[in-house]
């Protein structure tokens, strides 16, 4: 029920869709048609303020149902309807405040409005916290009787039965209270890591090949490793990881604390492992996780083929090194697209999804759902926000006209269409789609866009650039994220077995694993020793078993896009049904009904097959040159 769906984090970790603030301009000079219209949510800040005052007064009224949920089906229905309505209104208030703040982060009034909403949300959560434990105490048998007695409860059946499903892992009131009281401690490892990595860490300064000094902090490193000049990216990577390695004992200690936290909660809740505990929330079988790791390991020969192709395209005559992996694959092809051209390409690319889908896209373009351009103080990056349930989704872009910007537009529109169809089909209580499927609709649209662009582009250089861009996506999303997922699993296994989790142990584990993934022993890529410390700069390791979803979303989207673009009308209909289903089922079931079974190898196999077809074509183009 979080007001902002977690789509932004993905762009940040994959590093593909994140645009930087260039060419900032004065917002007042941007034509209205390129800015979003927040007036559909509230006509003015005053109107927002009035509604916030009304809702804030209503929040405590949820308490009138405390201790009464088992009284009757009617009382339970009224309680859930009240909670759902308040949540929906809070979400609308929050979305307005946060998007107003993102327009110009220098303005203090919208920042204050956002903070007010965070506080009001926290208060609502506290006031409503009695609901789930009380439903558990009412018990499954009584809940089933209530469901049969009052049809208003129908839309809450999934939610009510899901609470019952987790009953074996819910503790007594006193024990739950202790776990809740421990929550502020539970964030310590991640908080300390974040402060060290983002604020206090003494990042080094190096001299580039032209003698210019440059600081290798996180942003600097991300830019420097893409430098065309080999010497520069080598120096930057070596300096960055050597510096991190000097704090290996500290990073090892924070990582150990994080694993111990996860172990504490999984044991308290009577789970066999931390992986089992994490995946039980969205009801995902553990085998989905382990099967991905096994499948990607089996597919390493295809990954090595990509790495050899990269070496050939970069013209590296000696060994390819790890510090070469982010350098441009092809000399940049300077394609520029106006917003109107981008819209035209996206509409043409999405044609396989049918006229209704296209008509909603036209509404998004014509009715100011998007905020297109960078401007002074505007938040960087890109996102789609579907939290204003009764209005329509909104998108923030920082559009600069490159192909990656067109791709980002298609990506965010994927989220928007998912929200639009779910919000207009499902009741609020079932509209919010689960994280496991959140990146499917967006990645699906990127796949359709690249397929379409390849039908339009005939010249070899541009085709190579587009195909190369696709391979970079697979490398970053499927292979790299699965390697992270495997590393995380092994670290948690060490914790479960009581083995010491230290900086040294983690560095050895990470280096060995990276050498295996990148074919170090076969000299596919030379993984230099300082790469051992790369793990310590990945913040996602403090979010248990999160990153594998980037890889599974990608393979699910590839499989679904393949089926739809092959012209299967039933496949298209199943996909549109998935977009309309929100969170009305468990994620594995949603995807199964869409046409892809994540408990099998099919989605990964289809992705790897497509990857090899792309490499066939690239090699054919290269041999013509
Ligand atoms: Zn996304």
């Amino acid at each position: 029920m979080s007001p902002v769906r977690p789509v932004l984090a993905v762009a940040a970790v994959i590093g593909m869709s994140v645009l930087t603030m260039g060419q900032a301009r004065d917002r007042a000079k941007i034509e209205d048609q390129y800015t979003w219209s927040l007036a559909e949510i509230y006509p003015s800040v005053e109107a927002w303020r009035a509604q916030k005052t009304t809702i804030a007064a209503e929040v405590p009224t949820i308490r009138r149902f405390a201790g009464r949920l088992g009284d009757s089906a009617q009382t339970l229905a009224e309680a859930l309807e009240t909670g759902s309505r308040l949540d929906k209104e809070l979400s609308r208030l929050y979305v307005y405040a946060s998007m107003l703040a993102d327009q110009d982060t220098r303005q203090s009034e919208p920042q204050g409005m956002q903070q007010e909403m965070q506080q009001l949300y926290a208060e609502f959560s506290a006031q409503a916290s009695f609901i789930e434990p009380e439903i558990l105490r009412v018990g499954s048998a009584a809940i089933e009787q209530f469901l049969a007695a009052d049809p208003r409860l129908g839309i809450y059946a999934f939610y009510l039965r899901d609470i019952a499903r987790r009953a074996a892992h819910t503790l007594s009131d006193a024990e739950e209270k202790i776990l809740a009281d421990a929550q502020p401690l539970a964030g310590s490892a991640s908080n300390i890591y974040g402060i060290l990595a983002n604020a206090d860490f003494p990042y080094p300064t190096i001299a580039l090949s032209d003698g210019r000094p440059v600081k290798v902090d996180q942003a600097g490193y991300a830019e420097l490793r893409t430098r065309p000049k080999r010497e520069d990216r080598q120096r930057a990577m070596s300096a960055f990881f050597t510096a991190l390695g000097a704090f290996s004992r500290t990073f090892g200690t924070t990582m150990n604390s994080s694993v111990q936290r996860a172990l504490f909660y999984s044991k308290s809740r009577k789970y066999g492992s931390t992986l089992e505990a994490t995946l039980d929330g969205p009801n995902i079988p553990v085998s989905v996780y382990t099967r991905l790791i096994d499948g990607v390991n089996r597919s390493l020969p295809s990954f090595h083929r990509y790495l050899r192709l990269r070496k050939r395209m970069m013209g590296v005559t000696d060994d390819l090194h790890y510090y070469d992996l982010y350098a441009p694959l092809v000399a940049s092809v300077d394609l520029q697209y106006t917003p109107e051209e981008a819209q035209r390409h996206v509409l043409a690319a999405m044609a396989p999804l049918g006229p209704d889908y296209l008509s909603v896209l036209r509404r998004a373009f014509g009715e100011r759902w998007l905020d297109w351009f960078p401007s002074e103080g505007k938040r960087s990056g890109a996102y789609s926000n579907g939290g204003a349930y009764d209005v329509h989704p909104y998108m923030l872009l920082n559009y600069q006209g490159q192909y990656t910007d067109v791709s980002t537009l298609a990506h965010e529109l994927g989220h928007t269409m998912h929200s639009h169809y779910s919000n207009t089909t499902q009741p609020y209580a079932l509209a919010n789609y689960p994280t496991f499927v959140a990146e499917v609709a967006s990645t699906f649209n990127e796949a359709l866009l690249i397929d379409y662009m390849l039908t339009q582009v005939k010249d070899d250089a541009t085709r190579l650039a587009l195909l190369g861009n696709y391979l970079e996506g697979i490398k970053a999303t499927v292979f790299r994220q699965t390697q992270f997922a495997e590393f995380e699993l092994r670290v948690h296994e060490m914790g479960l077995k009581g083995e010491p989790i230290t900086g040294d142990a983690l560095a050895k584990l990470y280096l060995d694993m990276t050498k295996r993934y990148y074919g170090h022993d076969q000299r596919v890529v030379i993984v230099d020793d300082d790469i051992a410390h790369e793990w310590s700069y990945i913040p996602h390791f403090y979010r248990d078993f999160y990153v594998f979803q980037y890889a599974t979303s990608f393979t699910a989207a590839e499989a679904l896009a393949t089926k739809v673009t092959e012209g299967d009308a039933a496949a298209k209909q199943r996909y549109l049904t998935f977009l309309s289903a929100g969170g009305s089922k468990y994620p594995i079931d949603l995807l199964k009904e869409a046409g892809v079974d994540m408990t099998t190898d099919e989605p990964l196999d289809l992705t790897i097959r497509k990857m090899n077809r792309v490499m066939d074509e690239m090699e054919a183009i290269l041999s013509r040159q």
Side-chain angles (χ1 to χ4, degrees), residues 16-31:
M16 291 190 302
S17 322
V18 177
L19 306 170
T20 49
M21 291 272 298
Q23 304 165 355
R25 40 182 132 178
D26 183 354
R27 188 172 181 85
K29 294 192 182 123
I30 297 175
E31 288 172 66

Side-chain angles (χ1 to χ4, degrees), residues 7-8 10-11 411-412 415 438-439 442:
V7 294
L8 191 67
V10 173
H411 179 106
E412 301 307 338
H415 292 306
E439 291 301 326
S442 52

